[in-house]
Amino acid sequence: MPRVIAIALLLSCSSAFPENGPPAEPETYRTDDYRAPVPATLKGGRVLTTDDAETIWRSGSAVFIDVLPHPPRPNLPAGTVWRETPRHNIPGSIWLPDTGYGELAASTEDYLRQGLKRATDGKLNKLLVFYCQANCWMSWNAAKRALSYGYTNVAWYPDGTDGWQQFDLPVEDSKPEPRPAE
């Protein structure tokens, strides 16, 4: 699909803001209604367009972090065939599911901290690009949280995989990073 058409579709659908523009950044994390118009800013971090994200991705200079939740396997009767819905990520991404909620259990927060530490080899200045889906506060929350951990080179890609796929950019099936108990 030509980029001009894709941009028009994104502007008309996934990035629709209320009449008075995008919402302001809250002082704390968003804790409900995660699929809603998101702010246009991230205090202390950069906000990326799809072109920006693609350029960074092609350069290989960043770690892309997907924070989309991962539904647990349901409790099914023995012998039931269950096929997990695949998650299509930006290639090379690290999927740290459930880490974008406004409030995190201590074990989930530790999972995020350890995942970021492994992904960056402990380098707080490594470029991190957080994403989820379009109009998803979870990626904003996770990026804000990384800034609070002392990461100094944080970017947020608010159009996420929806915007990425709108431009016919490649995706790959992904599996979540294992949690310590797994």
Side-chain angles (χ1 to χ4, degrees):
M1 170 182 312
R3 286 196 181 213
V4 173
I5 294 171
I7 289 170
L9 285 171
L10 276 174
L11 289 175
S12 67
C13 298
S14 67
S15 297
F17 295 122
E19 289 179 24
N20 54 351
E25 283 190 56
E27 288 297 315
T28 60
Y29 303 106
R30 176 76 173 241
T31 58
D32 63 2
D33 198 16
Y34 294 109
R35 288 303 299 267
V38 293
T41 58
L42 172 65
K43 191 177 196 175
R46 297 186 332 197
V47 180
L48 304 178
T49 64
T50 298
D51 283 338
D52 297 334
E54 180 186 8
T55 298
I56 291 168
W57 174 74
R58 290 195 186 282
S59 76
S61 63
V63 176
F64 280 69
I65 308 286
D66 181 10
V67 299
L68 184 76
H70 181 253
R73 181 186 168 124
N75 188 9
L76 301 170
T80 302
V81 175
W82 180 69
R83 290 189 178 86
E84 186 173 1
T85 303
R87 170 68 175 148
H88 303 291
N89 274 345
I90 295 170
S93 295
I94 295 169
W95 185 14
L96 297 173
D98 309 317
T99 57
Y101 289 107
E103 295 178 10
L104 298 181
S107 60
T108 303
E109 187 155 2
D110 187 58
Y111 170 67
L112 175 60
R113 283 181 184 270
Q114 294 306 314
L116 295 178
K117 186 176 181 181
R118 278 190 309 278
T120 62
D121 292 324
K123 297 176 184 149
L124 295 177
N125 64 344
K126 178 72 176 171
L127 177 56
L128 295 171
V129 176
F130 289 88
Y131 71 94
C132 185
Q133 297 172 320
N135 283 324
C136 181
W137 280 85
M138 291 188 174
S139 54
W140 185 88
N141 281 343
K144 181 178 178 76
R145 194 165 270 119
L147 288 163
S148 79
Y149 295 162
Y151 288 92
T152 59
N153 200 0
V154 174
W156 170 49
Y157 176 40
D159 288 329
T161 51
D162 295 329
W164 191 262
Q165 290 178 303
Q166 193 75 39
F167 284 106
D168 292 325
L169 293 167
V171 293
E172 66 183 10
D173 284 354
S174 183
K175 296 286 183 202
E177 287 294 305
R179 294 180 185 262
E182 294 176 341

